[in-house]
Amino acid sequence: MRRTLAATSLLAAAAACTPALAQLSDIDPNHKHAWGENIGWTNWRDANGAAQGVRLLPALNAPQFLAGFAWSENCGWINMGDGTPANGTAYANTTGADHGVNILGNNLLSGLAWGENIGWINFNTAPTLMAFGQEARWDPAAGRFRGYAWGENVGWINLDHAQHFIAVPLCEPDLTTGAIPGQPGFGVPNGILNNEDFFFYLTIFAQGNPAADLTTGAIPGQPGYGVPNGVINNEDFFYYLSLFAAGC
């Protein structure tokens, strides 16, 4: 009982002292750029301070579609999807109201992103490029995108560069550089797993922040493990605790 009371007090204090956090982009701050042959660099992380950057949903370990925005200095915002496909699992891409980029079961990308000044960007390049091994796809082992996307008005967008590519941090419980709001690196993974990450998660869990929703259940192998369900409860806390304890 004493331990429970102490934990409850710590959660309450964290919630009271820390401002609410946005659900940040999943994209690695060190690997957030892709090159367009006619539009230059696109930044997939930093839209609205990373609060509207690209995310892989519903979970990093089982992504099905993208959400959020990439930014190009030369052509403006590129919308990867709103994160709410009509059927819950994939954008239909039959109307502008349900468009976005999907990650198929075989890790190929499909679907369309919309550029406010450049029109549609097609990520379903497998029919054209698979024979050359350059189809747009998600590489879960490396935690990065590969291949090329195509825009009728802008040409090829390169996701396949050896140094400049779009990736997510491979260490899932690495959430932040520091746990003090307002300081540089707050909410930005740094490749190091330590107490800062644990207290960062404790804070967003106490706040009921959507970013704390990590799983449906905390038992490995059961349906919903590692898949957010819109509810923040003890399952999420113990799921993160198991990730943190496992290390990277």
Side-chain angles (χ1 to χ4, degrees):
M1 176 66 71
R2 189 174 305 163
R3 182 179 302 169
T4 302
L5 290 174
T8 302
S9 299
L10 183 58
L11 290 170
C17 297
T18 307
L21 302 176
Q23 202 163 4
L24 297 180
S25 170
D26 293 319
I27 303 303
D28 188 336
N30 297 311
H31 292 290
K32 60 186 179 182
H33 294 110
W35 177 258
E37 62 177 347
N38 294 309
I39 60 174
W41 294 111
T42 58
N43 180 334
W44 290 40
R45 176 178 171 81
D46 292 332
N48 191 21
Q52 292 181 285
V54 176
R55 303 197 67 224
L56 284 71
L57 298 175
L60 277 178
N61 62 353
Q64 296 174 305
F65 51 86
L66 304 185
F69 294 84
W71 169 256
S72 166
E73 288 291 339
N74 295 316
C75 63
W77 296 110
I78 300 171
N79 184 353
M80 302 291 177
D82 66 4
T84 59
N87 67 5
T89 59
Y91 302 108
N93 286 291
T94 54
T95 70
D98 189 25
H99 86 271
V101 180
N102 298 313
I103 302 176
L104 305 180
N106 58 4
N107 295 314
L108 292 178
L109 301 186
S110 71
L112 302 166
W114 173 257
E116 59 178 349
N117 296 309
I118 58 176
W120 296 110
I121 298 173
N122 183 10
F123 283 77
N124 182 25
T125 57
T128 303
L129 298 181
M130 183 172 283
F132 308 97
Q134 295 179 328
E135 68 278 8
R137 62 198 186 277
W138 167 244
D139 181 346
R144 60 163 292 182
F145 293 98
R146 296 187 184 275
Y148 291 79
W150 169 259
E152 287 291 339
N153 297 315
V154 296
W156 297 108
I157 296 176
N158 185 0
L159 307 175
D160 216 48
H161 196 278
Q163 285 81 43
H164 305 292
F165 53 86
I166 307 301
V168 300
L170 289 177
C171 181
E172 188 176 353
D174 172 27
L175 302 177
T176 191
T177 301
I180 301 176
Q183 289 195 354
F186 184 71
V188 178
N190 63 344
I192 300 172
L193 185 63
N194 55 26
N195 288 343
E196 306 292 326
D197 300 290
F198 180 80
F199 285 111
F200 177 88
Y201 182 77
L202 191 66
T203 297
I204 63 175
F205 180 85
Q207 291 175 340
N209 189 286
D213 175 25
L214 301 177
T215 191
T216 301
I219 300 176
Q222 289 196 352
Y225 183 73
V227 179
N229 63 343
V231 179
I232 300 171
N233 55 26
N234 288 344
E235 304 293 327
D236 298 291
F237 180 81
F238 286 112
Y239 176 84
Y240 181 79
L241 191 63
S242 66
L243 293 179
F244 184 84
C248 295

